[in-house]
């Protein structure tokens, strides 16, 4: 497409913008009607441990990073196409799921945003899971709320609105207290038939908290649930200025329902139909299987959430995935800088990932725990990054990289074994996305051993959830014509390029052995947490 043709597309606003606030970066992706990326922008960030002991991102940082990502996108459009970006056809926000954003009647945060990484809700999850006969994970918003009540936190009586990070950004930009059903399903259990919160559980929760002395009505403070394609408001003048302080961005742009990163991961991997599976990998990771029937039992390792269209999904969530790999490669970069050798980050990742193919089957008898926070799937309350190795194994770069890759998905394997072995779920193929899959084949081979299915990575894998959110924004214009699954199959992915890796018997055996060593050495995590 010529530059002039692209300028015309931009001028006609035949575009959709998706912005995702992930755990380590905020990314904006602008696409055309063929779902091709026109331009992107991003800003890096990291959560911090507050004085109160909660993992958080400050309110100021949320807006600073959003503005930086958007400004970079706008600058890219200006540089590539000599076009001043004043609007687009549709817009959508997504963010890391779960967590706790509590607002008072004036719209002020009552406490700093508490992220999914906080594991202080153990008592609440046990009570609520038993009350509902439904697994309530530590990360879910209702668990954070109930724990705050149990802890008699003073702010609870002033809550007027409870939402997620995506819901908060959307509300500030549109004035609408709404949430996409996928993100909402990480706040409170969803009825996949009515596409609303489970009525009996709302009632049970209200009755339970009344015994603690709270008159709060949970339904009144939760956001309204919307499914993909439904109108979720328009960008206001104040919202436009909040995203683009320069004043160039115009109001009136229609917005899609705000979603969680699990939902955008499903969309980005075309995994919203029953029986499909996908893995979305980043700082944390999700393995998700769209169900065709209810599970036979309730498992603390398995969350039940929904697709952006409202179908039930079995999710295996892990808090820790790629962080430790990123830290190690950052240190390697520093070594090169110290030696005066210039190397690009992308080249470093590709070279070291490919080096893992020279590893021994036992990865040098090395086990790595990339636990920067607790990991509920393996009962680790407080994580400590750790490398453990048998001195009889070969300690070299290839084995080190293979152990890191094995570690990234190790906690996920425990939950997947429940679905595969106890529930006898059959997965014909898994589609994966996230930066770890940008180097062809390498992480795919590990994941195939975890999922016990072939693993496909599409050309959009590196764009991640921001691209998925842009697709959901584009779907605003197709709602009523095609359901979401048909839209993805017929419009978005019909000509998508992809690479698929099959399950390898030898790789699977080696991975099972790694997981066995990983599980046996887990008590070292509890010991380390006592002293470090």
């Amino acid at each position: 497409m010529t530059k002039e043709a692209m300028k015309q597309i931009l001028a006609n606003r035949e575009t959709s913008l998706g912005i995702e606030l992930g755990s380590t970066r905020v990314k904006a992706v602008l696409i055309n009607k063929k779902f091709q990326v026109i331009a992107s922008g991003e800003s890096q960030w990291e959560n911090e441990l507050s004085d109160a002991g909660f993992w958080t991102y400050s309110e100021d940082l949320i807006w600073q990073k959003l503005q930086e990502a958007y400004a970079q996108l706008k600058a890219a459009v200006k540089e590539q196409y000599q076009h001043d970006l004043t609007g687009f056809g549709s817009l959508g926000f997504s963010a890391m799921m779960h967590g706790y954003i509590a607002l008072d009647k004036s719209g002020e945060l009552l406490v700093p945003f508490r992220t999914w990484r906080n594991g202080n809700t153990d008592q609440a999850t046990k009570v609520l899971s038993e009350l509902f006969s439904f697994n309530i994970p530590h990360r879910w918003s209702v668990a954070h709320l109930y724990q705050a009540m149990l802890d008699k936190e003073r702010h609870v009586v002033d809550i007027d609105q409870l939402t997620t990070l995506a819901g908060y950004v959307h509300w500030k930009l549109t004035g609408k207290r709404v949430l996409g059903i996928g993100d909402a399903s990480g706040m409170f259990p969803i009825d996949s038939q009515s596409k609303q919160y489970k009525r009996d559980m709302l009632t049970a929760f209200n009755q339970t908290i009344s015994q603690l002395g709270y008159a709060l009505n949970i339904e009144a403070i939760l956001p309204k649930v919307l499914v993909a394609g439904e109108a979720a408001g328009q960008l206001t003048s104040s919202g436009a200025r909040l995203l683009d302080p320069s004043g160039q961005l115009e109001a009136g742009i229609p917005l899609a329902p705000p979603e969680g990163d699990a939902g955008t991961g499903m969309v980005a991997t075309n995994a919203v139909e029953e029986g499909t599976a996908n893995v979305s990998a980043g700082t944390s990771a999700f393995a998700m299987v769209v169900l065709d029937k209810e599970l036979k039992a309730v498992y603390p390792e398995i969350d039940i959430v929904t697709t952006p269209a409202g179908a039930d999904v079995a999710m295996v969530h892990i808090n820790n995935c790629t962080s430790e790999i990123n830290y190690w490669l950052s240190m390697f970069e520093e070594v090169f800088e110290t030696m005066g050798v210039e190397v690009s980050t992308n080249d470093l990742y590709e070279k070291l990932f490919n080096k893992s193919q020279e590893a021994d089957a036992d990865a040098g008898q090395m086990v790595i725990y990339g636990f920067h926070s607790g990991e509920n799937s393996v009962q680790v309350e407080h994580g400590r990054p750790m490398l453990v190795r048998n001195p009889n194994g070969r300690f070299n770069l290839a084995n080190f990289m293979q152990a890191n890759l094995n570690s990234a998905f190790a906690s996920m394997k425990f939950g997947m074994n429940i679905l595969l072995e106890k529930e006898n779920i059959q997965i014909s193929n898994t589609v994966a996305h996230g930066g770890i899959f940008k180097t062809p084949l390498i992480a795919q081979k590990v994941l195939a051993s975890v999922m016990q299915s072939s693993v496909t990575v599409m050309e959009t894998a590196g764009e991640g959830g921001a691209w998925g959110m842009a697709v959901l924004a584009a779907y605003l214009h197709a709602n009523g014509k095609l359901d979401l699954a048909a839209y993805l199959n017929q419009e978005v992915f019909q000509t998508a390029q992809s690479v698929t890796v099959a399950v390898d018997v030898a790789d699977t055996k080696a991975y099972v052995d790694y997981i066995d060593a990983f599980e046996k050495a887990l008590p070292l995590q509890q010991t380390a947490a006592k002293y470090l």
Side-chain angles (χ1 to χ4, degrees), residues 330-343:
S330 178
M331 189 180 72
F332 289 146
E333 279 187 303
E334 188 176 350
V335 171
F336 281 114
E337 289 174 6
T338 302
M339 300 296 293
V341 178
E342 187 174 337
V343 59

Side-chain angles (χ1 to χ4, degrees), residues 295-476:
L295 298 184
K296 293 178 288 188
V298 176
Y299 306 98
E301 300 89 351
I302 309 295
D303 307 350
I304 301 298
V305 294
T306 77
T307 69
D312 281 337
V313 175
M315 173 198 284
V316 177
H317 175 275
I318 58 174
N319 290 341
N320 306 277
C321 184
T322 62
S323 290
E324 189 67 355
I325 293 175
N326 293 336
Y327 275 110
W328 278 112
L329 268 70
S330 178
M331 189 180 72
F332 289 146
E333 279 187 303
E334 188 176 350
V335 171
F336 281 114
E337 289 174 6
T338 302
M339 300 296 293
V341 178
E342 187 174 337
V343 59
S344 74
T345 300
N346 287 340
D347 194 39
L348 180 65
Y349 271 78
E350 183 175 352
K351 289 285 197 300
L352 292 184
F353 272 41
N354 281 318
K355 186 69 176 178
S356 69
Q357 297 197 91
E358 301 172 18
D360 299 324
D362 65 357
Q365 298 182 47
M366 198 182 319
V367 172
I368 292 176
Y369 297 100
F371 293 165
H372 289 255
S373 62
E375 195 60 82
N376 301 323
S377 62
V378 289
Q379 290 78 55
V380 171
E381 186 174 358
H382 301 290
R384 295 294 184 270
M386 184 184 299
L387 185 155
V388 183
R389 67 186 184 91
N390 188 319
N392 294 323
R394 290 207 307 161
F395 185 57
N396 58 27
L397 184 58
N399 285 332
F400 173 77
M401 288 306 302
Q402 187 63 53
N404 266 291
L405 290 163
N406 287 349
S407 171
F409 301 105
S411 298
M412 183 182 291
K413 182 61 175 170
F414 291 84
M416 284 307 306
N417 283 346
I418 293 173
L419 294 176
L420 296 170
E421 297 171 7
K422 293 186 178 180
E423 292 287 338
N424 297 314
I425 287 179
Q426 301 296 313
I427 303 173
S428 58
N429 183 58
T430 300
V431 182
H433 83 132
I436 194 172
F437 301 108
K438 289 182 74 172
T439 301
L441 309 178
I442 306 303
Q444 281 176 265
K445 292 173 64 178
V446 177
L447 189 59
S449 296
V450 174
M451 303 297 290
Q452 281 302 286
S453 79
S454 56
V455 174
T456 297
V457 171
M458 297 182 180
E459 60 184 351
T460 53
E463 299 299 342
W467 182 82
M469 190 64 239
V471 171
L472 284 173
Y475 182 57
L476 274 177

Side-chain angles (χ1 to χ4, degrees), residues 515-531:
I515 292 298
D516 184 55
F518 184 94
E519 185 173 18
K520 287 177 179 176
L522 272 172
L524 293 174
Q525 281 288 306
Q526 279 79 11
T527 302
K530 291 180 181 178
Y531 302 108

Side-chain angles (χ1 to χ4, degrees), residues 32-243:
N32 60 21
K33 283 190 172 181
K34 293 184 178 180
F35 314 101
Q36 298 164 327
V37 177
I38 297 172
S40 63
E42 64 179 70
S43 184
Q44 305 296 317
W45 68 348
E46 285 286 351
N47 55 184
E48 58 186 13
L49 195 60
S50 70
D51 293 340
F54 292 102
W55 289 103
T56 187
Y57 300 86
S58 72
E59 184 178 12
D60 289 342
L61 192 65
I62 292 169
W63 299 111
Q64 175 192 332
K65 295 302 179 179
L66 266 172
Q67 290 166 3
E68 286 179 2
Y70 181 77
Q72 191 180 100
L73 169 84
K74 189 170 71 169
V77 170
K78 179 69 172 177
E79 180 181 352
Q80 295 175 56
Y81 309 110
Q82 289 74 56
H83 176 81
D84 292 313
L85 196 59
T86 60
F88 8 88
S90 54
L91 169 64
F93 291 92
S94 58
M96 60 191 93
M97 283 181 69
H98 317 116
Y100 183 73
I101 288 185
L103 304 162
D104 64 16
K105 287 185 178 180
S106 65
E108 296 297 320
L109 283 169
L110 288 164
V111 291
F113 167 41
R114 296 175 182 176
T115 78
W116 55 269
R117 214 167 203 175
N118 292 288
N120 64 302
T121 56
D122 191 60
Q123 186 179 2
T125 59
K126 289 175 181 175
V127 172
L128 294 178
S129 295
E130 183 176 353
L131 176 68
F132 296 156
S133 296
F134 186 98
N135 180 41
I136 301 296
H138 289 71
R139 310 176 310 281
W140 281 27
S141 304
V142 68
H144 283 280
L145 173 62
Y146 190 65
Q147 191 65 50
M149 292 175 169
L150 293 175
D151 294 340
K152 296 181 170 54
E153 293 195 44
R154 295 174 61 183
H155 76 273
V156 173
V157 297
D158 295 319
I159 295 176
D160 182 66
Q161 182 182 169
L162 190 68
T163 190
T164 65
L165 181 56
Y168 169 67
V169 170
H170 184 96
W171 169 69
K172 292 287 283 187
L173 270 62
T174 65
K176 301 294 184 181
R177 293 168 58 160
V178 299
L179 203 59
I181 193 168
D183 205 8
S185 70
M187 293 193 74
F188 196 93
I190 291 286
D191 181 343
S192 60
Q193 297 301 312
S194 68
K195 313 299 186 195
Q196 297 297 321
Y197 302 113
K198 287 182 178 282
R199 175 65 51 189
D200 58 335
M201 295 183 188
L202 292 169
T203 301
F205 185 83
N206 285 336
Q207 291 173 346
T208 298
I209 65 173
S210 69
Q211 297 171 12
L212 298 176
Y214 293 100
L216 181 147
N217 178 357
I218 181 65
E219 188 173 15
I221 66 171
L222 288 170
K224 180 183 177 182
V225 179
L226 299 177
V227 298
E230 289 191 275
Q234 295 184 335
L235 185 67
T236 62
S237 296
S238 60
R241 184 60 64 93
L242 194 52
L243 183 58

